Amino acid sequence: MNKLLSLSRKMSSIVFISLMLYSLVFVFLISLINNTNWQSLFSRFNATQMEKNGYLVMDDMRREGIGRGPLNEEQRLWMQRRAALYGILLRYESKDRKEVWFDMFTRANVSSENSLSMLYTSGGETLGTLKMEYILSNTELEPAYAEFMKSLQFRSKLLLIGVVAASILFSLFIARMLSRRLNEVYLIANEISKGKRDVTLPIKGPEEVRRLAATLNEMTRELKKQEDWRHNLMEDLTHELRTPLTTLLTQIEAIIDGVYEADPERLQDIYDELIRLSRLVNDLERLSEAESARFSLNVRRTNMVELSRTVYSNFLPLARSKGIKLTFEPAFVPCHAEVDRDKIVQVLSNIVSNAIKYTPEGGKVNIRVSYNVEWTVICCEDNGIGVSAQDLPYIFNRLYRADKSRSRFSGGVGLGLSIAKALVEAHNGTIEAASELGVGSSFTITMPIHFNMGDPE
């Protein structure tokens, strides 16, 4: 039973049954229409032949001299022979149909209601009414035509059987062709689920299957990128932890072995390494909290122009010390948004700090604030070293550094932008980056004016 249910749910079975049912219904309708048409044609032919036989019978009656009834026995016998000759039943009545002079309908137990009626005239005078019906059933003709109709019906049945068989074979072919492409997609998708990333689906089959194959290929490439990124993440994290730990262990072992003295300078070096380790762990913890929204937001109505100006003022001395021109373009009217002030200051500080850090002496960094009725937009632009197009999509990933040569002493560990992105999204906002290598970078933060607690954080 389970196998039967499983088989009925297969794409090939569904397509086969659907096409077969459609074909059978279509063939049945065509057959019904064809039979109806043939029946109509034969009915018209039947009526025409009946009328022709009626005129022949009346001509024979005139030559025989049959007039008004009642008929004598010889005339009755003649009428019977003439009716048998033409293969019809005859009924001869008075013109007012009150008297019946000759009747074969009653003996044959046939109703005369639907029979063909013709007025019998002779010498310009109407002598009576002649009714006629075929001796065979109403749906048959005389023997030659009846045989032809039987032959036609037999051939129609053979043709119907052939068309049904062809429909079944065609449905089976189409179902197998469509399901074969889907089975290929399924098998390769199953390989992808087992960890294989070097497979590519052929772009074949119907348009929907082609789009599915293209999507799976794109997904496989993205999974490969993500796996490579996770591999690099582990390498970077291991490196960031190993270096200070190795330094600490070396110095402590040297102190224990008496190679170095535990003087304040040596202890200060150990303390600095511990601070770097603590900063890395704290950054990872903040990122984890931000991404999982475990922190609480102290949302208040805040003047975003004044908040941005505060960050600008905080970094102005650092920019001047590096010979960088830091400018601020505020919106010239107060614009307020419901945000956690400390968290947004942390975001802006990270963005501005990176802009100053990677802008050479003599460069420019500009902070701009604008707004509309729904959003506040803060943009930080610089003409620094920029980011390549290959690295730009990944700069918000954890521990990702576009410049692989940067050390943890000059470039950090690559968590700042990840934390900034998580904090902005916790406010239901967005952060976007645009950059060109050697030209500069632009980071745009878009925050909603009203914080909606019901939105996904």
Side-chain angles (χ1 to χ4, degrees):
M1 185 64 181
N2 292 333
K3 290 183 178 180
L4 184 60
L5 289 175
S6 176
L7 181 63
S8 65
R9 289 195 295 264
K10 285 187 175 182
M11 182 66 180
S12 57
S13 300
I14 295 173
V15 173
F16 171 71
I17 293 173
S18 300
L19 288 175
M20 187 180 67
L21 289 177
Y22 169 79
S23 301
L24 291 178
V25 170
F26 182 76
V27 169
F28 173 76
L29 290 176
I30 292 296
S31 177
L32 182 63
I33 293 171
N34 183 62
N35 288 336
T36 302
N37 180 57
W38 275 109
Q39 290 291 344
S40 176
L41 289 175
F42 275 104
S43 294
R44 288 198 296 270
F45 179 75
N46 187 13
T48 302
Q49 288 295 107
M50 180 74 72
E51 186 176 8
K52 176 183 175 182
N53 290 335
Y55 286 122
L56 292 175
V57 169
M58 287 190 291
D59 287 342
D60 291 342
M61 289 174 64
R62 294 188 191 98
R63 287 194 293 269
E64 187 66 21
I66 296 177
R68 293 186 182 89
L71 304 181
N72 56 38
E73 187 64 25
E74 184 180 351
Q75 290 174 330
R76 287 175 179 276
L77 293 174
W78 182 89
M79 291 284 287
Q80 289 179 0
R81 290 194 299 271
R82 192 57 54 180
L85 176 65
Y86 292 111
I88 58 176
L89 300 175
L90 289 177
R91 182 185 179 96
Y92 184 36
E93 303 173 342
S94 61
K95 63 179 181 180
D96 58 6
R97 300 185 180 180
K98 292 182 179 179
E99 296 181 52
V100 178
W101 298 322
F102 179 77
D103 184 13
M104 297 179 67
F105 284 79
T106 303
R107 285 180 294 176
N109 196 23
V110 175
S111 174
S112 62
E113 293 180 0
N114 299 321
S115 60
L116 176 65
S117 295
M118 301 179 69
L119 293 176
Y120 172 55
T121 60
S122 181
E125 180 184 3
T126 301
L127 302 178
T129 302
L130 197 63
K131 289 187 176 183
M132 289 162 286
E133 181 63 83
Y134 278 112
I135 295 176
L136 304 176
S137 62
N138 292 339
T139 58
E140 294 181 351
L141 304 175
E142 58 189 48
Y145 297 115
E147 186 63 27
F148 170 74
M149 194 167 184
K150 286 181 181 180
S151 177
L152 180 64
Q153 289 175 347
F154 175 73
R155 295 185 180 184
S156 298
K157 289 178 181 179
L158 286 180
L159 180 62
L160 178 62
I161 293 172
V163 171
V164 170
S167 300
I168 293 174
L169 293 175
F170 176 76
S171 301
L172 183 61
F173 170 74
I174 295 296
R176 292 191 64 180
M177 184 182 69
L178 293 177
S179 62
R180 183 180 63 181
R181 299 302 180 194
L182 288 175
N183 283 333
E184 290 177 358
V185 173
Y186 165 74
L187 292 175
I188 296 182
N190 193 40
E191 294 295 323
I192 295 172
S193 69
K194 293 178 180 178
K196 293 188 67 175
R197 300 290 181 262
D198 56 347
V199 294
T200 302
L201 281 165
I203 309 300
K204 297 179 180 179
E207 183 60 27
E208 291 77 6
V209 178
R210 288 172 176 264
R211 289 201 297 264
L212 177 60
T215 302
L216 281 175
N217 287 336
E218 182 64 28
M219 184 187 71
T220 304
R221 287 191 290 269
E222 187 61 29
L223 285 174
K224 182 67 167 59
K225 290 180 182 178
Q226 292 295 327
E227 286 186 354
D228 292 342
W229 173 79
R230 281 196 296 269
H231 179 71
N232 294 333
L233 169 66
M234 294 305 298
E235 288 185 348
D236 290 342
L237 185 58
T238 302
H239 174 74
E240 297 298 336
L241 291 172
R242 184 193 304 116
T243 303
L245 285 174
T246 302
T247 303
L248 286 172
L249 288 173
T250 301
Q251 295 191 30
I252 292 174
E253 286 177 358
I255 292 174
I256 293 173
D257 293 340
V259 178
Y260 295 144
E261 293 184 3
D263 54 28
E265 183 179 355
R266 192 68 59 188
L267 292 176
Q268 183 63 43
D269 291 340
I270 295 174
Y271 177 76
D272 290 342
E273 292 297 331
L274 288 173
I275 289 297
R276 292 189 187 98
L277 272 176
S278 177
R279 187 184 302 120
L280 173 60
V281 173
N282 288 337
D283 285 347
L284 287 171
E285 184 179 10
R286 285 199 301 271
L287 176 61
S288 178
E289 289 178 352
E291 290 184 336
S292 61
R294 290 203 305 266
F295 57 86
S296 60
L297 293 177
N298 184 18
V299 176
R300 292 177 300 185
R301 184 175 172 81
T302 303
N303 188 329
M304 300 301 289
V305 174
E306 292 303 320
L307 183 148
S308 302
R309 192 188 303 276
T310 299
V311 175
Y312 160 76
S313 300
N314 292 340
F315 282 93
L316 193 57
L318 176 62
R320 287 174 178 171
S321 68
K322 291 190 61 177
I324 296 171
K325 184 178 181 180
L326 180 63
T327 57
F328 179 62
E329 295 182 25
F332 294 102
V333 293
C335 55
H336 295 80
E338 297 175 353
V339 298
D340 186 318
R341 179 183 177 85
D342 293 339
K343 299 294 189 298
I344 299 303
V345 167
Q346 182 181 351
V347 171
L348 291 178
S349 297
N350 183 280
I351 300 299
V352 176
S353 174
N354 283 344
I356 294 173
K357 186 180 298 182
Y358 302 115
T359 299
E361 184 177 355
K364 297 179 181 180
V365 176
N366 181 57
I367 304 172
R368 184 175 69 252
V369 181
S370 60
Y371 81 103
N372 56 36
V373 294
E374 295 182 355
W375 306 94
T376 296
V377 181
I378 304 173
C379 184
C380 180
E381 299 173 332
D382 64 70
N383 60 352
I385 62 175
V387 181
S388 68
Q390 292 79 13
D391 291 320
L392 187 61
Y394 307 103
I395 62 174
F396 291 105
N397 289 350
R398 305 170 188 168
L399 296 177
Y400 188 87
R401 292 181 299 194
D403 184 1
K404 307 302 180 184
S405 64
R406 280 193 283 140
S407 70
R408 68 184 188 283
F409 302 105
S410 63
V413 295
L415 290 174
L417 290 179
S418 300
I419 295 174
K421 182 175 185 291
L423 291 175
V424 170
E425 290 178 348
H427 286 79
N428 307 314
T430 61
I431 180 170
E432 298 175 341
S435 185
E436 185 177 349
L437 193 63
V439 176
S441 303
S442 172
F443 287 83
T444 303
I445 302 169
T446 305
M447 304 293 297
I449 298 296
H450 302 288
F451 179 77
N452 189 347
M453 294 295 294
D455 287 349
E457 296 183 356

